[in-house]
Amino acid sequence: MQRACAITGAALLLSAMIGNYVNAAEVKGMTWLAQETSTWTETKAKLQSLGEQFPTSEALFEHLRKEASDGTSLDPAALPDWRGVWTRTKGGLSFDPDLKASDGATSATLTKAGQEAVDKKIHTLTVKGGEYDRISACSPPGTPRWITEPFLKEFVVTPDQTWLMNEMVNDVRRIYTDGRAHSAAEDSYPSWNGDSIGFWDGDILTIHTKYLREGDYQRGLQPDYSDQVELVERWHKVNDMTIEADTWAFDPVNLAKPWYTRQSWTKIEDPDHVLRLRYWDCGENQNNQVIKTEEGTSQFSDFNFVDDDAAVSSDPNVKRAAGDKAKPANQ
Amino acid sequence: MIPNLKSTVTKTLLALGGVSVATTIASAHHSGAMFDDQKEVTMEGVVKEFQYTNPHSWLLVDVTQPDGSTTTWGFEAEGPSTLLRAGIRKSDLLPGTKITITGHPMRDGRSAGSWVKATRGDGKQMNPKPMGNFALPKQ
């Protein structure tokens, strides 16, 4: 922990020394920095640099709140219109939508511990050829991973709360914008989506999230995050079909610097209103039971359309699963 | 220490399709390690049951074997909302519907695979991936 903090401090100092330091005043008056193709590399670097000027996520959040003069109250009669059904615009499962396969595993600047975790995943995937995703049994993805998940999303704005909902695992992030502070530290504990507070500045929603559980930004080679990860987000509907969010992840265990990314979601054209967000339950269909193998990869358990899975499968894990099922529960 | 780290990462990412949207849709909920994505199997049969469920749907197809027996194959796709965006409704594949279906087979020999594409008896294509940013494919 101390080592990670030292690395973060050194990175901040080095950043300032080499002139990559952008004064907060430079982005002080921004309402939103557009993602123009021709200038996005520079703009992204500027937003990354903004995050690096603050030692903690709360310092960045408080800076943004001060710049917004503590934010504005939403008029119940004129709420931001975030209606509709949305899905992630680009990036696949990559936390950084700009990351290309040729760029390597991540655009984050990792600590030694963070890099070791990624190296371990490289080893697992190259040697074993597969992995087990912890959400295979409908465990919540958690935040920040929530951001990368595909499928349908709905965003509900009310004067006092905004709900960011994903069809996947019936997952709802509640953002309290009524001026309340975070839960008291002594009464808080790590949870899947943590504790989120925020404020509106016109039609921009700024969010601070803490008290999160450890996890991974996504499966594959993407980094892990610790239960010290905290997130600052600025959400903005940039046009009728697009909502974007600047995100800065702070994690002294895995990240040597705050990790800036811009996320986006596209509204799905649904003039006949046929789409529905349906409940997710991995137990609803026997054929969706995914087990973790002894090697740490993934396998289906028994199918309901195969008479004797253990007899026809070449996988000892399937045979073992079938054997376990045959044993009485008290043995 | 793993040698040629960046090269290894790149190859692994490319092999996994780790940043492709197509892969996102193909197996966004669990690893696809159980399927052999280097192989495809194609078979003709009749729909036994369309399990239109979250988080994954399963199309069960009865396939007649050369000896006259019947084997039920299961083909996995994403859940109902993704299938709907691909233009595949539950009512499109009622029991008894003739179908030719292609999938990546299971590595362990069981009669299952991931659904890649299919053609219904009347010629309608049944590709389980969304074809645009629409709730239903545009005609």
Side-chain angles (χ1 to χ4, degrees):
Chain A
M1 172 64 187
Q2 287 179 333
R3 180 177 181 150
C5 289
I7 291 171
T8 303
L12 286 168
L13 181 61
L14 181 61
S15 176
M17 289 172 64
I18 62 176
N20 190 32
Y21 192 88
V22 177
N23 193 298
E26 193 167 330
V27 289
K28 176 180 177 181
M30 70 173 180
T31 50
W32 191 258
L33 296 179
Q35 189 166 349
E36 304 291 347
T37 303
S38 61
T39 58
W40 177 238
T41 300
E42 291 176 17
T43 304
K44 186 177 182 184
K46 185 179 290 187
L47 290 162
Q48 167 69 35
S49 179
L50 173 64
E52 291 177 21
Q53 293 173 54
F54 300 93
T56 66
S57 65
E58 286 184 302
L60 171 59
F61 180 71
E62 290 305 326
H63 165 77
L64 295 170
R65 177 145 61 186
K66 183 180 176 186
E67 291 300 318
S69 302
D70 290 331
T72 49
S73 297
L74 290 183
D75 177 355
L79 297 172
D81 183 4
W82 288 11
R83 290 177 299 173
V85 180
W86 304 75
T87 194
R88 199 171 190 226
T89 306
K90 63 175 184 174
L93 296 178
S94 174
F95 190 76
D96 185 348
D98 298 328
L99 190 73
K100 298 184 289 293
S102 57
D103 292 340
T106 183
S107 60
T109 303
L110 302 174
T111 61
K112 184 170 182 289
Q115 186 61 55
E116 287 173 350
V118 172
D119 291 345
K120 189 177 177 182
K121 295 179 186 187
I122 294 170
H123 178 78
T124 299
L125 285 165
T126 52
V127 172
K128 297 179 180 175
E131 61 184 322
Y132 178 79
D133 192 329
R134 60 188 174 82
I135 70 168
S136 298
C138 286
S139 171
T143 298
R145 177 170 168 163
W146 183 95
I147 290 170
T148 68
E149 297 298 351
F151 306 113
L152 305 182
K153 284 184 165 67
E154 289 179 325
F155 309 125
V156 179
V157 179
T158 79
D160 297 331
Q161 298 182 29
T162 293
W163 302 330
L164 309 176
M165 305 192 291
N166 193 1
E167 180 184 31
M168 185 177 194
V169 202
N170 325 302
D171 211 359
V172 182
R173 297 179 60 196
R174 288 180 169 79
I175 317 300
Y176 297 102
T177 58
D178 55 0
R180 73 181 68 184
H182 277 298
S183 303
E186 60 270 26
D187 296 326
S188 298
Y189 54 91
S191 61
W192 292 113
N193 288 327
D195 188 59
S196 295
I197 59 173
F199 62 87
W200 287 90
D201 180 14
D203 57 1
I204 297 177
L205 172 61
T206 301
I207 305 169
H208 185 260
T209 302
K210 63 190 300 190
Y211 306 135
L212 290 156
R213 293 172 64 111
E214 64 183 14
D216 47 9
Y217 287 90
Q218 193 40 263
R219 69 166 180 269
L221 301 181
Q222 298 185 67
D224 287 344
Y225 48 82
S226 74
D227 63 4
Q228 296 173 55
V229 69
E230 296 181 358
L231 205 61
V232 176
E233 300 159 81
R234 293 181 83 235
W235 285 59
H236 178 47
K237 185 177 180 182
V238 297
N239 58 49
D240 286 347
M241 299 302 291
T242 310
I243 289 177
E244 295 182 344
D246 286 327
T247 64
W248 292 267
F250 289 69
D251 179 5
V253 176
N254 290 284
L255 298 177
K257 297 178 180 179
W259 185 15
Y260 169 78
T261 58
R262 175 163 288 182
Q263 311 291 338
S264 67
W265 295 271
T266 299
K267 190 173 182 176
I268 298 174
E269 292 185 34
D270 187 17
D272 299 325
H273 305 293
V274 298
L275 287 178
R276 301 283 191 279
L277 272 70
R278 304 289 195 192
Y279 202 85
W280 270 47
D281 173 10
C282 284
E284 180 179 325
N285 185 341
Q286 163 64 29
N287 299 323
N288 286 326
Q289 301 294 306
V290 176
I291 58 175
K292 185 177 184 178
T293 68
E294 299 246 319
E295 299 76 25
T297 65
S298 303
Q299 177 60 283
F300 286 115
S301 186
D302 292 352
F303 292 128
N304 66 8
F305 54 89
V306 174
D307 288 339
D308 187 349
D309 293 76
V312 299
S313 173
S314 63
D315 189 336
N317 295 288
V318 175
K319 298 179 187 299
R320 194 175 298 114
D324 288 345
K325 192 176 64 173
K327 291 177 184 174
N330 62 353
Q331 288 187 12
Chain B
M1 183 65 189
I2 297 172
N4 300 319
L5 183 60
K6 181 151 187 178
S7 173
T8 303
V9 169
T10 302
K11 287 176 182 173
T12 305
L13 276 170
L14 291 171
L16 293 170
V19 292
S20 79
V21 173
T23 298
T24 299
I25 299 302
S27 54
H29 168 245
H30 62 74
S31 162
M34 60 285 276
F35 299 118
D36 187 345
D37 62 4
Q38 299 302 304
K39 292 182 181 175
E40 285 189 353
V41 293
T42 298
M43 58 197 71
E44 294 180 23
V46 295
V47 173
K48 178 180 183 180
E49 183 182 357
F50 195 5
Q51 298 173 345
Y52 211 64
T53 57
N54 272 330
H56 290 278
S57 298
W58 284 85
L59 182 66
L60 307 190
V61 179
D62 279 342
V63 179
T64 302
Q65 303 301 308
D67 65 0
S69 64
T70 298
T71 298
T72 300
W73 276 73
F75 291 90
E76 185 198 47
E78 295 292 355
S81 62
T82 303
L83 287 179
L84 194 63
R85 293 179 60 205
I88 302 174
R89 298 172 183 265
K90 182 174 173 60
S91 57
D92 286 331
L93 292 167
L94 297 174
T97 303
K98 290 184 179 177
I99 193 168
T100 301
I101 187 165
T102 298
H104 295 304
M106 295 276 294
R107 297 179 189 277
D108 73 345
R110 283 185 287 174
S111 57
S114 62
W115 179 353
V116 175
K117 60 183 179 182
T119 305
R120 205 169 57 181
D122 62 0
K124 182 177 180 182
Q125 301 296 308
M126 297 280 178
N127 183 334
K129 294 181 175 56
M131 290 179 280
N133 190 38
F134 315 107
L136 283 169
K138 289 195 172 178
Q139 300 299 314

PDB file of all heavy atoms in Angstrom, chain A residues 229-240:
ATOM      1  N   VAL A 229     -10.556   1.027  -4.993  1.00  0.00           N
ATOM      2  CA  VAL A 229     -10.840   1.743  -6.233  1.00  0.00           C
ATOM      3  C   VAL A 229     -11.962   2.748  -6.010  1.00  0.00           C
ATOM      4  O   VAL A 229     -12.922   2.495  -5.264  1.00  0.00           O
ATOM      5  CB  VAL A 229     -11.213   0.757  -7.374  1.00  0.00           C
ATOM      6  CG1 VAL A 229     -12.563   0.109  -7.128  1.00  0.00           C
ATOM      7  CG2 VAL A 229     -11.181   1.454  -8.728  1.00  0.00           C
ATOM      8  N   GLU A 230     -11.810   3.907  -6.589  1.00  0.00           N
ATOM      9  CA  GLU A 230     -12.851   4.938  -6.558  1.00  0.00           C
ATOM     10  C   GLU A 230     -12.976   5.527  -7.953  1.00  0.00           C
ATOM     11  O   GLU A 230     -12.023   5.483  -8.739  1.00  0.00           O
ATOM     12  CB  GLU A 230     -12.507   6.025  -5.540  1.00  0.00           C
ATOM     13  CG  GLU A 230     -12.460   5.501  -4.107  1.00  0.00           C
ATOM     14  CD  GLU A 230     -12.142   6.563  -3.070  1.00  0.00           C
ATOM     15  OE1 GLU A 230     -11.904   7.734  -3.450  1.00  0.00           O
ATOM     16  OE2 GLU A 230     -12.117   6.225  -1.883  1.00  0.00           O
ATOM     17  N   LEU A 231     -14.136   6.062  -8.231  1.00  0.00           N
ATOM     18  CA  LEU A 231     -14.437   6.471  -9.597  1.00  0.00           C
ATOM     19  C   LEU A 231     -15.048   7.868  -9.617  1.00  0.00           C
ATOM     20  O   LEU A 231     -15.925   8.180  -8.806  1.00  0.00           O
ATOM     21  CB  LEU A 231     -15.432   5.462 -10.195  1.00  0.00           C
ATOM     22  CG  LEU A 231     -15.497   5.262 -11.697  1.00  0.00           C
ATOM     23  CD1 LEU A 231     -14.152   4.768 -12.233  1.00  0.00           C
ATOM     24  CD2 LEU A 231     -16.596   4.257 -12.042  1.00  0.00           C
ATOM     25  N   VAL A 232     -14.567   8.691 -10.531  1.00  0.00           N
ATOM     26  CA  VAL A 232     -15.215   9.973 -10.839  1.00  0.00           C
ATOM     27  C   VAL A 232     -15.725   9.885 -12.271  1.00  0.00           C
ATOM     28  O   VAL A 232     -14.985   9.465 -13.170  1.00  0.00           O
ATOM     29  CB  VAL A 232     -14.240  11.164 -10.708  1.00  0.00           C
ATOM     30  CG1 VAL A 232     -14.914  12.474 -11.129  1.00  0.00           C
ATOM     31  CG2 VAL A 232     -13.732  11.273  -9.277  1.00  0.00           C
ATOM     32  N   GLU A 233     -16.977  10.235 -12.473  1.00  0.00           N
ATOM     33  CA  GLU A 233     -17.570  10.190 -13.812  1.00  0.00           C
ATOM     34  C   GLU A 233     -18.287  11.508 -14.100  1.00  0.00           C
ATOM     35  O   GLU A 233     -18.871  12.112 -13.202  1.00  0.00           O
ATOM     36  CB  GLU A 233     -18.603   9.054 -13.909  1.00  0.00           C
ATOM     37  CG  GLU A 233     -18.049   7.671 -13.638  1.00  0.00           C
ATOM     38  CD  GLU A 233     -19.164   6.702 -13.251  1.00  0.00           C
ATOM     39  OE1 GLU A 233     -19.855   6.194 -14.150  1.00  0.00           O
ATOM     40  OE2 GLU A 233     -19.338   6.471 -12.029  1.00  0.00           O
ATOM     41  N   ARG A 234     -18.258  11.914 -15.357  1.00  0.00           N
ATOM     42  CA  ARG A 234     -19.073  13.059 -15.830  1.00  0.00           C
ATOM     43  C   ARG A 234     -19.901  12.566 -17.002  1.00  0.00           C
ATOM     44  O   ARG A 234     -19.355  12.261 -18.060  1.00  0.00           O
ATOM     45  CB  ARG A 234     -18.206  14.247 -16.262  1.00  0.00           C
ATOM     46  CG  ARG A 234     -17.441  14.903 -15.123  1.00  0.00           C
ATOM     47  CD  ARG A 234     -16.631  16.087 -15.640  1.00  0.00           C
ATOM     48  NE  ARG A 234     -17.420  17.303 -15.752  1.00  0.00           N
ATOM     49  CZ  ARG A 234     -17.538  18.016 -16.870  1.00  0.00           C
ATOM     50  NH1 ARG A 234     -16.956  17.627 -17.981  1.00  0.00           N
ATOM     51  NH2 ARG A 234     -18.248  19.143 -16.891  1.00  0.00           N
ATOM     52  N   TRP A 235     -21.190  12.453 -16.809  1.00  0.00           N
ATOM     53  CA  TRP A 235     -22.104  11.937 -17.830  1.00  0.00           C
ATOM     54  C   TRP A 235     -22.777  13.100 -18.547  1.00  0.00           C
ATOM     55  O   TRP A 235     -23.207  14.069 -17.912  1.00  0.00           O
ATOM     56  CB  TRP A 235     -23.184  11.051 -17.186  1.00  0.00           C
ATOM     57  CG  TRP A 235     -22.714   9.694 -16.758  1.00  0.00           C
ATOM     58  CD1 TRP A 235     -21.724   9.413 -15.865  1.00  0.00           C
ATOM     59  CD2 TRP A 235     -23.222   8.436 -17.206  1.00  0.00           C
ATOM     60  NE1 TRP A 235     -21.589   8.043 -15.722  1.00  0.00           N
ATOM     61  CE2 TRP A 235     -22.507   7.419 -16.537  1.00  0.00           C
ATOM     62  CE3 TRP A 235     -24.224   8.060 -18.091  1.00  0.00           C
ATOM     63  CZ2 TRP A 235     -22.752   6.067 -16.729  1.00  0.00           C
ATOM     64  CZ3 TRP A 235     -24.482   6.706 -18.297  1.00  0.00           C
ATOM     65  CH2 TRP A 235     -23.737   5.725 -17.614  1.00  0.00           C
ATOM     66  N   HIS A 236     -22.927  12.949 -19.864  1.00  0.00           N
ATOM     67  CA  HIS A 236     -23.507  14.031 -20.658  1.00  0.00           C
ATOM     68  C   HIS A 236     -24.145  13.443 -21.911  1.00  0.00           C
ATOM     69  O   HIS A 236     -23.527  12.637 -22.611  1.00  0.00           O
ATOM     70  CB  HIS A 236     -22.402  15.019 -21.058  1.00  0.00           C
ATOM     71  CG  HIS A 236     -22.874  16.150 -21.911  1.00  0.00           C
ATOM     72  ND1 HIS A 236     -24.000  16.898 -21.622  1.00  0.00           N
ATOM     73  CD2 HIS A 236     -22.366  16.688 -23.047  1.00  0.00           C
ATOM     74  CE1 HIS A 236     -24.158  17.821 -22.546  1.00  0.00           C
ATOM     75  NE2 HIS A 236     -23.197  17.714 -23.430  1.00  0.00           N
ATOM     76  N   LYS A 237     -25.361  13.844 -22.180  1.00  0.00           N
ATOM     77  CA  LYS A 237     -26.006  13.449 -23.433  1.00  0.00           C
ATOM     78  C   LYS A 237     -25.567  14.446 -24.506  1.00  0.00           C
ATOM     79  O   LYS A 237     -25.958  15.619 -24.478  1.00  0.00           O
ATOM     80  CB  LYS A 237     -27.528  13.465 -23.269  1.00  0.00           C
ATOM     81  CG  LYS A 237     -28.277  12.946 -24.487  1.00  0.00           C
ATOM     82  CD  LYS A 237     -29.786  12.915 -24.212  1.00  0.00           C
ATOM     83  CE  LYS A 237     -30.554  12.403 -25.422  1.00  0.00           C
ATOM     84  NZ  LYS A 237     -32.011  12.416 -25.192  1.00  0.00           N
ATOM     85  N   VAL A 238     -24.761  13.960 -25.439  1.00  0.00           N
ATOM     86  CA  VAL A 238     -24.158  14.885 -26.399  1.00  0.00           C
ATOM     87  C   VAL A 238     -25.047  15.118 -27.618  1.00  0.00           C
ATOM     88  O   VAL A 238     -24.895  16.116 -28.307  1.00  0.00           O
ATOM     89  CB  VAL A 238     -22.754  14.410 -26.841  1.00  0.00           C
ATOM     90  CG1 VAL A 238     -21.811  14.377 -25.646  1.00  0.00           C
ATOM     91  CG2 VAL A 238     -22.821  13.046 -27.506  1.00  0.00           C
ATOM     92  N   ASN A 239     -25.920  14.169 -27.903  1.00  0.00           N
ATOM     93  CA  ASN A 239     -26.926  14.385 -28.951  1.00  0.00           C
ATOM     94  C   ASN A 239     -28.069  13.405 -28.699  1.00  0.00           C
ATOM     95  O   ASN A 239     -28.033  12.638 -27.734  1.00  0.00           O
ATOM     96  CB  ASN A 239     -26.330  14.220 -30.363  1.00  0.00           C
ATOM     97  CG  ASN A 239     -25.702  12.852 -30.571  1.00  0.00           C
ATOM     98  OD1 ASN A 239     -26.311  11.825 -30.275  1.00  0.00           O
ATOM     99  ND2 ASN A 239     -24.481  12.822 -31.079  1.00  0.00           N
ATOM    100  N   ASP A 240     -29.064  13.421 -29.555  1.00  0.00           N
ATOM    101  CA  ASP A 240     -30.252  12.592 -29.305  1.00  0.00           C
ATOM    102  C   ASP A 240     -29.929  11.112 -29.173  1.00  0.00           C
ATOM    103  O   ASP A 240     -30.669  10.359 -28.524  1.00  0.00           O
ATOM    104  CB  ASP A 240     -31.268  12.772 -30.451  1.00  0.00           C
ATOM    105  CG  ASP A 240     -31.960  14.120 -30.373  1.00  0.00           C
ATOM    106  OD1 ASP A 240     -31.836  14.783 -29.309  1.00  0.00           O
ATOM    107  OD2 ASP A 240     -32.594  14.527 -31.361  1.00  0.00           O
TER     108      ASP A 240
END
